[in-house]
Amino acid sequence: MAESMDTDDANGVPVTQNTSSNNPTTITSSQKPTRLPAKISKPTPYTFDLGNLLCLDPNPLPTSPTSPLTETLLASTARDAAQALLNQLLTTCPITSTPSGVHLTLPAPTTPLPREKSLPAEKTQTKWAAFAAKKGIKDRKKGEGKTVYDEATGEWVPKWGYKGKNKAGEGEWLVEVDEKKSKGEEGENGKSVRGEGRRERKESVRRNERRMRANERRGKKGIVA
């Protein structure tokens, strides 16, 4: 749209006249963006680590006293390396088409990368771990050694817990009395002999828990007894 501005001689007020036509003006540019080459050629070939999406360029940067290093030169060099990496990926890696899209399978990385964080500190051995290492005791697999064969029933039963072998005889109507531990039916301190096995088992559990807490405290202090 073109407009011209005239001045009224009588009042001195500017008057605008519209001289536009119905056809819009189209601006054309003779310059088109140049397409960069897809094939990259260097005096020394690139080396690739496709597993890490890495392209190594051993060629020195073309700098001289008359042509110093510039951002444009760095961007051009990086662009060539990225184009060479894409060419290598598309020509060497298997490509599969799935309902979710096109997938490109990368090979295993070959360049070792440094750790992001430092190595974790070595854990201090507990009292049991030090004893097991000294005696050559190995850890059992999960579930191994938790059952025992019951000759009375001919079945494998758990050693502890529900229907465990350690509870055998608690529900029997006849209980054998140890003369060294008990002097009568009521036992020591008026406690029933029938519940002696259960009391011993509970006391053993509490004793093991106290030892476990003591081992944890030693481990936090870094002391191995």
Side-chain angles (χ1 to χ4, degrees), residues 65-77:
T66 58
S67 59
L69 188 65
T70 61
E71 292 292 336
T72 304
L73 178 60
L74 292 175
S76 176
T77 305

Side-chain angles (χ1 to χ4, degrees), residues 95-142:
I95 301 175
T96 56
S97 179
T98 63
S100 59
V102 179
H103 291 185
L104 188 143
T105 304
L106 298 178
T110 58
T111 303
L113 299 178
R115 290 177 57 91
E116 179 184 0
K117 299 179 181 179
S118 59
L119 291 173
E122 185 178 357
K123 294 183 179 179
T124 307
Q125 282 187 327
T126 61
K127 186 176 181 180
W128 163 251
F131 175 78
K134 182 179 179 180
K135 297 296 183 179
I137 302 174
K138 297 181 180 180
D139 293 337
R140 294 179 177 178
K141 296 181 180 179
K142 185 177 180 182

Side-chain angles (χ1 to χ4, degrees), residues 42 44-49 53-59 81 84-85 111:
K42 292 284 184 176
T44 305
Y46 292 107
T47 56
F48 301 96
D49 180 6
L53 297 179
L54 176 64
C55 176
L56 300 176
D57 185 2
N59 299 280
L85 178 61
T111 303

Side-chain angles (χ1 to χ4, degrees), residues 206 208-218:
R206 286 192 292 267
N208 290 336
E209 290 177 352
R210 288 195 297 269
R211 291 175 179 173
M212 182 179 63
R213 289 192 293 268
N215 288 336
E216 291 177 353
R217 288 192 296 269
R218 293 192 190 96

Side-chain angles (χ1 to χ4, degrees), residues 159-173:
K159 290 183 178 180
W160 310 279
Y162 179 66
K163 294 184 179 181
K165 185 67 174 176
N166 61 331
K167 297 181 181 179
E170 290 187 2
E172 299 294 336
W173 65 274

